Amino acid sequence: MLHLAGEGRQGKLDQAEEEARILAGEGVDGLVVENYFGDAEDVERALDRICGLRLGSRIGVNVLRDDAAAFALAGRYPVDFIQIDSVAGHLPPEADASFAAELAAHRTAVPVLLLGGVRFKYKPVLSGRPEVEDVKIGAARCDALVVTSNATAEPTDLDKVARFRAATNGSVPLVIGAGMTEANAAEQLAVADGAIVGSWLKRDHRDTGPVEADHVARFMRAVRSVRIAA
């Protein structure tokens, strides 16, 4: 995850490139450009820079609070996937139908892979539906479900992952969206198909720090050990 921290537009861009080179150099599968600290303009500038580097990792985009902008950027740049923090459960019934229609229209116009959250950290649950129904609906709206507990850096509840797996009958991949570390990677990847990692790869394992090469190297050694064992 590239959070786009840094001082000013140029600082964010330079830090994003440096972090992308570190992550790709250690063999991460994908880089998600997200406006955690920046805005949609910073995301576009970072995509323009990083897509031109040809680092070998797939490129994803998540524009927080602006799904339409994420699809627009994916239509203009060679983006492999989009992440949306919530695709089901976060809206009341009267608003969900229009959300679903708009999402479907975006997906038709920009047919890239979509990773979507259900009961995602910090998102309200307003659907009035049981969790299992929200999960089934979410799975029908995207290509993979992103699962978290309640907060950034909080390990994802493995019972929740199991419930999502049961609800979807294994029909979509499940991606851990928070709290994976080198210590719990084996346990978490035993029940999930992938992970999005941000804070653990940074200085002091905090979201405000820059990505540190040593943290990435140790984490990826743990991931490779899991892959070899599999």
Side-chain angles (χ1 to χ4, degrees):
M1 181 67 76
L2 300 176
H3 283 145
L4 303 188
E7 294 297 325
R9 298 283 190 196
Q10 191 61 43
K12 293 179 187 298
L13 185 60
D14 292 343
Q15 184 167 328
E17 177 177 343
E18 180 180 359
E19 292 181 348
R21 290 186 181 279
I22 291 171
L23 293 163
E26 289 295 338
V28 302
D29 296 299
L31 305 168
V32 186
V33 182
E34 180 186 88
N35 58 324
Y36 190 92
F37 291 111
D39 57 26
E41 184 178 339
D42 292 312
V43 172
E44 179 158 17
R45 287 162 58 87
L47 283 174
D48 187 63
R49 172 76 67 86
I50 291 165
C51 288
L53 297 176
R54 302 186 183 278
L55 296 174
S57 298
R58 293 174 176 85
I59 304 296
V61 61
N62 183 10
V63 182
L64 299 171
R65 300 171 294 279
D66 195 344
D67 300 342
F71 279 99
L73 289 169
R76 293 199 296 271
Y77 293 90
V79 167
D80 298 288
F81 63 95
I82 293 170
Q83 182 191 351
I84 292 179
D85 284 357
S86 185
V87 293
H90 63 293
L91 294 172
E94 61 271 17
D96 186 66
S98 60
F99 169 81
E102 184 175 356
L103 180 62
H106 284 314
R107 297 208 67 195
T108 299
V110 185
V112 299
L113 294 175
L114 177 62
L115 283 57
V118 175
R119 305 291 173 106
F120 200 80
K121 59 184 179 179
Y122 307 120
K123 290 292 184 179
V125 178
L126 302 176
S127 67
R129 297 183 293 254
E131 179 187 85
V132 64
E133 290 187 27
D134 281 338
V135 172
K136 289 179 179 179
I137 291 169
R141 293 176 179 175
C142 59
D143 300 294
L145 287 174
V146 185
V147 192
T148 72
S149 287
N150 298 315
T152 296
E154 180 179 318
T156 297
D157 180 3
L158 297 186
D159 287 339
K160 186 177 182 181
V161 178
R163 294 197 307 270
F164 277 38
R165 185 76 75 189
T168 61
N169 198 28
S171 62
V172 296
L174 301 181
V175 178
I176 298 292
M180 186 174 285
T181 71
E182 63 203 64
N184 68 20
E187 178 186 32
Q188 301 248 318
L189 290 174
V191 297
D193 302 293
I196 298 170
V197 186
S199 301
W200 187 256
L201 305 180
K202 296 186 165 197
R203 182 176 299 161
D204 299 323
H205 306 302
R206 297 177 63 86
D207 56 3
T208 52
V211 168
E212 294 208 339
D214 181 59
H215 291 181
V216 182
R218 295 204 315 267
F219 179 82
M220 289 306 296
R221 279 199 295 271
V223 170
R224 283 191 285 271
S225 295
V226 173
R227 289 172 172 169
I228 291 169

